[in-house]
Amino acid sequence: MTPRQNPVADIPTPDADDPLFVASLEKGMRVLDAFRDASDSLGLTDIATLTGLGKSAAQRFAHTWERLGYLVKDAATRRYRLGPRVVELGYYFLRSDRLVSMAAPHLVALRDRCGLAVHMSVLADDDMIYLLRLPSRQLTLAEMLPGRRMPAWCNSGGRMLLTQLDDSAIGQTLQRSPPRAFTPRTVVEPGALLALIRQARDDGYALTEDQVLQNQVGAAVLLRDARDVPLAAISVSAPRHDYPSDRLLRDIVPQLFRTAQAIQHA
């Protein structure tokens, strides 16, 4: 595993004059966030490089997280990986989040009707995070797990989330996180992406094809609250050979709109 340089650089920091901000806590959280792109484990040198902390500070923070159960240390290799308490913390959020509890029954019903994978995602800075992922049989483990963070521009749910922003803000997002190709068909040119997001804003839905995975299509709409304020995106992903664009638009998009309305009025 080659650690990505400084994956925590995009973590927002408060104004320097914020008297309530605990800088040492922010540094400790950098250590956990360093595992965002880790496929397995990290050594102290990896952690120090990824967080920008000195090796001594990285060691103290890693040891503290280990004692609290958020990191696990391999006695033989002396490398760290995330511990089970990280999952427990996510469970507490999902259990108590009102949007998740309202949306889940409707998304389960949608998945059962269409037999396809159903997702709910929200914006997180320039990215999107999946809050719920209800899998189909074809999905891999990584595609089933909630909490995954993805660039917002690269799939149907993320593009719908970006429609909440004006064109200038979208342009700044693409500039801060330059698009990279996941497949030979991934759209990465900023002007073309902006045009696609504008189209999704006008249509009220987004369609994608082969953007993150080959032979996968997606459709998404926005989920709004009772005041019509956007809260999240709900999306469906499907095999392209079963769902060409015309079928996706005809069979799936109307179901997404009906599901969003049902959740909105729940």
Side-chain angles (χ1 to χ4, degrees):
M1 189 275 301
T2 301
R4 179 165 63 92
Q5 292 296 315
N6 229 2
V8 298
D10 57 349
I11 296 176
T13 54
D15 296 334
D17 60 352
D18 186 345
L20 298 178
F21 185 74
V22 182
S24 60
L25 179 59
E26 183 271 332
K27 291 177 181 177
M29 291 304 299
R30 287 192 217 170
V31 172
L32 291 184
D33 207 69
F35 288 82
R36 181 193 301 179
D37 291 334
S39 59
D40 184 13
S41 61
L42 295 176
L44 281 177
T45 300
D46 298 329
I47 294 172
T49 300
L50 292 166
T51 60
L53 298 171
K55 195 167 182 179
S56 177
Q59 183 179 35
R60 292 196 301 272
F61 284 121
H63 175 75
T64 302
W65 286 127
E66 180 197 4
R67 291 290 302 273
L68 294 173
Y70 291 94
L71 291 181
V72 175
K73 184 179 181 181
D74 186 295
T77 65
R78 305 182 68 81
R79 294 174 67 85
Y80 293 88
R81 57 183 174 83
L82 292 175
R85 288 206 67 185
V86 175
V87 179
E88 184 182 21
L89 197 61
Y91 166 75
Y92 292 151
F93 165 74
L94 294 173
R95 181 189 64 183
S96 61
D97 185 73
R98 186 170 180 269
L99 177 60
V100 170
S101 62
M102 284 195 312
H106 297 279
L107 297 181
V108 169
L110 173 61
R111 192 272 307 273
D112 291 346
R113 284 197 303 271
C114 68
L116 301 171
V118 174
H119 321 278
M120 182 170 73
S121 54
V122 294
L123 270 181
D125 303 318
D126 295 333
D127 296 330
M128 53 164 284
I129 291 180
Y130 289 105
L131 295 187
L132 283 177
R133 308 190 82 180
L134 306 176
S136 66
R137 293 180 179 179
Q138 291 83 11
L139 291 189
T140 65
L141 177 62
E143 294 175 272
M144 298 179 187
L145 300 177
R148 187 181 186 187
R149 190 180 186 109
M150 294 285 292
W153 54 265
C154 71
N155 60 41
S156 59
R159 290 180 188 174
M160 283 310 301
L161 291 169
L162 289 175
T163 63
Q164 304 171 68
L165 308 180
D166 61 32
D167 288 357
S168 175
I170 295 170
Q172 292 171 19
T173 294
L174 297 175
Q175 188 175 36
R176 285 191 298 266
S177 302
R180 64 180 180 86
F182 293 93
T183 79
R185 299 190 64 190
T186 305
V187 179
V188 296
E189 200 280 312
L193 283 170
L194 179 58
L196 289 168
I197 295 166
R198 283 174 175 165
Q199 186 67 50
R201 186 190 293 135
D202 291 340
D203 293 338
Y205 62 86
L207 301 180
T208 55
E209 185 174 313
D210 297 340
Q211 293 300 287
V212 177
L213 293 174
Q214 291 274 42
N215 195 40
Q216 186 181 82
V217 295
V221 303
L222 282 179
L223 175 60
R224 302 174 183 271
D225 66 12
R227 297 168 298 171
D228 215 33
V229 175
L231 299 175
I234 58 173
S235 57
V236 164
S237 56
R240 174 164 47 85
H241 59 266
D242 290 335
Y243 282 85
S245 296
D246 57 346
R247 185 183 179 193
L248 201 63
L249 182 58
R250 182 184 69 247
D251 295 349
I252 300 302
V253 170
Q255 293 193 61
L256 283 168
F257 277 122
R258 287 194 293 270
T259 300
Q261 291 172 355
I263 297 170
Q264 182 179 13
H265 298 102

Coordinates of all heavy atoms in Angstrom, one line a residue, residues 50-101:
L50 N 1.1 11.0 6.5 CA -0.2 11.3 6.1 C -0.9 12.5 6.9 O -1.7 13.2 6.4 CB -1.1 10.1 6.1 CG -0.7 9.0 5.1 CD1 -1.4 7.7 5.5 CD2 -1.1 9.4 3.7
T51 N -0.5 12.6 8.1 CA -1.1 13.6 9.0 C -0.3 14.9 9.1 O -0.9 15.9 9.6 CB -1.3 13.0 10.4 OG1 0.0 12.7 11.0 CG2 -2.2 11.8 10.4
G52 N 0.9 14.9 8.7 CA 1.8 16.0 8.9 C 2.2 16.2 10.3 O 2.8 17.3 10.7
L53 N 2.0 15.2 11.2 CA 2.5 15.3 12.6 C 3.9 14.7 12.7 O 4.4 14.0 11.8 CB 1.6 14.4 13.5 CG 0.1 14.8 13.5 CD1 -0.7 13.8 14.3 CD2 0.0 16.2 14.3
G54 N 4.6 15.1 13.7 CA 5.9 14.5 14.0 C 5.7 13.1 14.4 O 4.6 12.7 14.9
K55 N 6.7 12.3 14.3 CA 6.6 10.8 14.6 C 6.3 10.6 16.1 O 5.5 9.7 16.4 CB 7.9 10.1 14.2 CG 7.7 8.6 14.1 CD 8.8 7.9 13.5 CE 8.6 6.4 13.3 NZ 9.7 5.7 12.6
S56 N 6.8 11.4 17.0 CA 6.5 11.3 18.4 C 5.1 11.6 18.7 O 4.4 10.8 19.4 CB 7.4 12.2 19.2 OG 7.1 12.1 20.6
A57 N 4.5 12.6 18.1 CA 3.1 13.0 18.3 C 2.2 11.9 17.7 O 1.2 11.5 18.3 CB 2.8 14.3 17.7
A58 N 2.6 11.4 16.5 CA 1.8 10.4 15.8 C 1.8 9.1 16.7 O 0.7 8.5 16.9 CB 2.4 10.0 14.5
Q59 N 2.9 8.8 17.4 CA 2.9 7.6 18.2 C 2.0 7.8 19.4 O 1.3 6.9 19.8 CB 4.4 7.4 18.7 CG 4.6 6.2 19.5 CD 6.0 6.0 20.0 OE1 6.7 6.9 20.2 NE2 6.4 4.7 20.0
R60 N 2.0 9.0 20.0 CA 1.2 9.2 21.2 C -0.3 9.1 20.9 O -1.1 8.5 21.6 CB 1.5 10.6 21.8 CG 2.9 10.7 22.5 CD 3.0 11.9 23.4 NE 2.8 13.1 22.7 CZ 3.7 13.8 22.0 NH1 5.0 13.4 22.0 NH2 3.4 15.0 21.4
F61 N -0.6 9.8 19.8 CA -2.1 9.7 19.4 C -2.5 8.3 19.0 O -3.6 7.9 19.4 CB -2.3 10.7 18.2 CG -2.4 12.1 18.6 CD1 -1.5 13.0 18.0 CD2 -3.3 12.6 19.5 CE1 -1.5 14.4 18.4 CE2 -3.4 13.9 19.9 CZ -2.5 14.8 19.3
A62 N -1.6 7.6 18.2 CA -2.0 6.2 17.8 C -2.1 5.3 19.1 O -3.0 4.5 19.2 CB -0.9 5.7 16.9
H63 N -1.2 5.5 20.0 CA -1.3 4.7 21.3 C -2.6 5.0 22.0 O -3.2 4.1 22.5 CB -0.1 5.0 22.1 CG -0.1 4.3 23.5 ND1 0.1 3.0 23.6 CD2 -0.4 4.8 24.7 CE1 0.0 2.7 24.9 NE2 -0.3 3.7 25.6
T64 N -2.9 6.3 22.1 CA -4.2 6.6 22.8 C -5.4 6.0 22.1 O -6.3 5.4 22.8 CB -4.3 8.2 22.9 OG1 -3.2 8.7 23.5 CG2 -5.6 8.6 23.6
W65 N -5.4 6.1 20.8 CA -6.6 5.5 20.1 C -6.6 4.0 20.3 O -7.7 3.4 20.3 CB -6.5 5.9 18.6 CG -6.9 7.3 18.2 CD1 -6.1 8.1 17.5 CD2 -8.1 8.0 18.6 NE1 -6.8 9.3 17.3 CE2 -8.0 9.3 18.0 CE3 -9.2 7.6 19.3 CZ2 -9.0 10.2 18.1 CZ3 -10.2 8.6 19.4 CH2 -10.1 9.8 18.8
E66 N -5.4 3.4 20.3 CA -5.4 1.9 20.6 C -5.9 1.6 21.9 O -6.7 0.7 22.1 CB -3.9 1.5 20.5 CG -3.8 -0.1 20.7 CD -2.4 -0.5 21.0 OE1 -1.5 0.4 21.1 OE2 -2.1 -1.7 21.1
R67 N -5.5 2.4 23.0 CA -6.0 2.1 24.3 C -7.6 2.3 24.4 O -8.2 1.6 25.2 CB -5.3 3.0 25.3 CG -3.9 2.8 25.5 CD -3.7 1.5 26.3 NE -4.3 1.4 27.6 CZ -3.8 1.9 28.7 NH1 -2.5 2.4 28.7 NH2 -4.4 1.8 29.8
L68 N -8.1 3.2 23.6 CA -9.5 3.4 23.6 C -10.3 2.5 22.7 O -11.5 2.5 22.7 CB -9.8 4.9 23.1 CG -9.3 6.0 24.1 CD1 -9.5 7.3 23.5 CD2 -10.1 5.9 25.4
G69 N -9.6 1.6 21.9 CA -10.3 0.7 21.1 C -10.6 1.1 19.6 O -11.2 0.3 18.9
Y70 N -10.1 2.3 19.3 CA -10.4 2.8 17.9 C -9.3 2.4 16.9 O -9.5 2.4 15.7 CB -10.6 4.3 17.9 CG -11.8 4.8 18.6 CD1 -11.8 5.1 20.0 CD2 -13.0 4.8 17.9 CE1 -13.0 5.5 20.6 CE2 -14.2 5.2 18.6 CZ -14.2 5.5 19.9 OH -15.3 5.9 20.6
L71 N -8.2 2.0 17.4 CA -7.1 1.4 16.6 C -6.7 0.1 17.2 O -6.8 -0.1 18.5 CB -5.9 2.3 16.5 CG -6.0 3.6 15.7 CD1 -4.7 4.3 15.7 CD2 -6.5 3.4 14.3
V72 N -6.2 -0.8 16.4 CA -5.7 -2.1 16.9 C -4.2 -2.2 16.3 O -4.0 -1.9 15.2 CB -6.5 -3.3 16.3 CG1 -5.9 -4.6 16.7 CG2 -7.9 -3.2 16.9
K73 N -3.3 -2.6 17.2 CA -1.9 -2.7 16.9 C -1.5 -4.2 16.7 O -1.7 -5.0 17.6 CB -1.0 -2.0 17.9 CG 0.4 -1.9 17.6 CD 1.2 -1.2 18.7 CE 2.7 -1.1 18.4 NZ 3.4 -0.4 19.5
D74 N -0.8 -4.5 15.6 CA -0.3 -5.8 15.4 C 1.0 -6.0 16.2 O 1.9 -5.2 16.0 CB -0.1 -6.1 13.9 CG 0.3 -7.5 13.7 OD1 1.4 -7.9 14.1 OD2 -0.4 -8.2 13.0
A75 N 1.1 -6.9 17.1 CA 2.2 -7.0 18.0 C 3.5 -7.4 17.2 O 4.6 -7.0 17.6 CB 2.0 -8.1 19.1
A76 N 3.3 -8.1 16.1 CA 4.5 -8.6 15.3 C 5.0 -7.5 14.4 O 6.2 -7.2 14.4 CB 4.1 -9.8 14.5
T77 N 4.1 -6.8 13.7 CA 4.5 -5.8 12.7 C 4.6 -4.4 13.3 O 5.1 -3.5 12.7 CB 3.6 -5.8 11.5 OG1 2.3 -5.4 11.9 CG2 3.5 -7.2 10.9
R78 N 3.9 -4.2 14.4 CA 3.8 -2.9 15.1 C 3.0 -1.9 14.2 O 3.2 -0.7 14.3 CB 5.1 -2.4 15.5 CG 5.9 -3.3 16.4 CD 7.3 -2.7 16.8 NE 7.1 -1.6 17.7 CZ 6.8 -1.7 19.0 NH1 6.7 -2.9 19.6 NH2 6.7 -0.7 19.8
R79 N 2.2 -2.4 13.3 CA 1.4 -1.6 12.4 C 0.0 -1.5 13.0 O -0.5 -2.4 13.7 CB 1.4 -2.1 11.0 CG 2.8 -2.0 10.3 CD 2.8 -2.7 9.0 NE 1.9 -2.0 8.0 CZ 2.3 -0.9 7.3 NH1 3.6 -0.5 7.4 NH2 1.5 -0.4 6.4
Y80 N -0.7 -0.4 12.6 CA -2.1 -0.2 13.1 C -3.1 -0.3 12.1 O -2.9 -0.1 10.9 CB -2.2 1.3 13.7 CG -1.3 1.5 14.9 CD1 0.0 2.0 14.7 CD2 -1.8 1.4 16.2 CE1 0.8 2.2 15.8 CE2 -1.0 1.7 17.3 CZ 0.3 2.1 17.1 OH 1.1 2.3 18.2
R81 N -4.3 -0.7 12.5 CA -5.5 -0.7 11.6 C -6.7 -0.2 12.5 O -6.6 -0.2 13.7 CB -5.8 -2.1 11.1 CG -6.0 -3.2 12.1 CD -6.2 -4.6 11.5 NE -6.3 -5.6 12.5 CZ -7.3 -5.9 13.2 NH1 -8.5 -5.3 13.0 NH2 -7.3 -6.9 14.1
L82 N -7.7 0.1 11.8 CA -8.9 0.6 12.6 C -9.5 -0.5 13.4 O -9.5 -1.7 13.0 CB -10.0 1.2 11.6 CG -9.6 2.5 10.8 CD1 -10.7 2.8 9.8 CD2 -9.4 3.6 11.8
G83 N -10.0 -0.1 14.6 CA -10.6 -1.1 15.5 C -12.2 -1.1 15.4 O -12.8 -0.2 14.8
P84 N -12.8 -2.1 16.0 CA -14.2 -2.2 16.0 C -15.0 -1.0 16.5 O -16.2 -0.8 16.1 CB -14.5 -3.5 16.8 CG -13.2 -4.2 16.8 CD -12.1 -3.2 16.8
R85 N -14.4 -0.3 17.4 CA -15.2 0.8 18.0 C -15.5 1.9 17.0 O -16.5 2.7 17.2 CB -14.4 1.5 19.2 CG -14.4 0.6 20.4 CD -14.3 1.4 21.7 NE -15.4 2.2 22.0 CZ -15.5 3.1 23.0 NH1 -14.5 3.2 23.8 NH2 -16.6 3.8 23.2
V86 N -14.8 2.0 15.9 CA -15.1 2.9 14.8 C -16.4 2.5 14.2 O -17.3 3.4 13.9 CB -14.0 2.9 13.7 CG1 -14.4 3.8 12.5 CG2 -12.7 3.4 14.3
V87 N -16.7 1.2 14.0 CA -17.9 0.8 13.4 C -19.1 1.1 14.4 O -20.2 1.5 14.0 CB -17.9 -0.7 13.1 CG1 -19.2 -1.2 12.6 CG2 -16.8 -1.0 12.1
E88 N -18.8 0.9 15.7 CA -19.8 1.1 16.7 C -20.2 2.6 16.7 O -21.4 2.9 16.8 CB -19.2 0.7 18.1 CG -20.2 0.8 19.2 CD -19.6 0.5 20.6 OE1 -18.3 0.6 20.7 OE2 -20.3 0.2 21.5
L89 N -19.3 3.5 16.5 CA -19.6 4.9 16.5 C -20.6 5.2 15.3 O -21.5 6.0 15.4 CB -18.4 5.7 16.4 CG -18.4 7.2 16.8 CD1 -18.9 7.4 18.2 CD2 -17.1 7.9 16.5
G90 N -20.2 4.6 14.1 CA -21.1 4.8 13.0 C -22.5 4.2 13.2 O -23.5 4.8 12.8
Y91 N -22.6 3.1 14.0 CA -23.9 2.5 14.3 C -24.7 3.5 15.1 O -25.9 3.7 14.9 CB -23.7 1.2 15.0 CG -25.0 0.7 15.7 CD1 -26.0 0.1 14.9 CD2 -25.2 0.8 17.1 CE1 -27.2 -0.3 15.5 CE2 -26.3 0.4 17.7 CZ -27.3 -0.2 16.9 OH -28.5 -0.6 17.5
Y92 N -24.1 4.1 16.1 CA -24.8 5.1 16.9 C -25.4 6.2 16.1 O -26.6 6.6 16.3 CB -23.9 5.7 18.0 CG -23.4 4.7 19.0 CD1 -22.2 4.9 19.6 CD2 -24.2 3.6 19.4 CE1 -21.7 4.0 20.6 CE2 -23.7 2.7 20.4 CZ -22.5 2.9 20.9 OH -22.0 2.0 21.9
F93 N -24.7 6.7 15.1 CA -25.2 7.7 14.2 C -26.4 7.2 13.4 O -27.4 7.9 13.4 CB -24.1 8.2 13.3 CG -24.6 9.1 12.2 CD1 -25.1 10.4 12.4 CD2 -24.7 8.5 10.9 CE1 -25.6 11.1 11.3 CE2 -25.2 9.3 9.8 CZ -25.6 10.6 10.1
L94 N -26.2 6.1 12.7 CA -27.2 5.6 11.9 C -28.5 5.3 12.7 O -29.6 5.5 12.2 CB -26.7 4.3 11.1 CG -25.6 4.6 10.1 CD1 -25.1 3.3 9.5 CD2 -26.1 5.5 9.0
R95 N -28.3 4.8 13.9 CA -29.5 4.4 14.7 C -30.3 5.6 15.1 O -31.5 5.6 15.2 CB -29.0 3.7 15.9 CG -30.1 3.2 16.9 CD -29.6 2.7 18.2 NE -28.9 3.7 18.9 CZ -28.2 3.5 20.1 NH1 -28.1 2.3 20.6 NH2 -27.6 4.5 20.7
S96 N -29.6 6.8 15.3 CA -30.3 7.9 15.9 C -30.6 9.0 14.9 O -31.4 9.9 15.2 CB -29.4 8.6 17.0 OG -28.1 9.0 16.4
D97 N -30.1 8.9 13.6 CA -30.4 9.9 12.6 C -31.8 9.8 12.1 O -32.2 8.8 11.6 CB -29.4 9.7 11.4 CG -29.5 10.8 10.4 OD1 -29.1 12.0 10.7 OD2 -30.1 10.6 9.3
R98 N -32.5 10.9 12.2 CA -33.9 10.9 11.8 C -34.1 10.7 10.3 O -35.1 10.0 9.9 CB -34.6 12.3 12.3 CG -36.1 12.3 12.0 CD -36.7 13.5 12.7 NE -38.1 13.6 12.5 CZ -38.7 14.2 11.5 NH1 -38.0 14.8 10.5 NH2 -40.0 14.2 11.3
L99 N -33.3 11.3 9.5 CA -33.4 11.1 8.1 C -33.2 9.6 7.7 O -34.0 9.1 6.9 CB -32.4 11.9 7.3 CG -32.3 11.8 5.8 CD1 -33.7 12.1 5.2 CD2 -31.2 12.6 5.2
V100 N -32.3 8.9 8.3 CA -32.0 7.5 8.0 C -33.3 6.7 8.4 O -33.7 5.8 7.7 CB -30.8 7.0 8.7 CG1 -30.7 5.5 8.7 CG2 -29.5 7.7 8.1
S101 N -33.8 7.0 9.6 CA -34.9 6.2 10.1 C -36.2 6.4 9.3 O -36.9 5.5 9.1 CB -35.2 6.5 11.6 OG -35.5 7.9 11.8

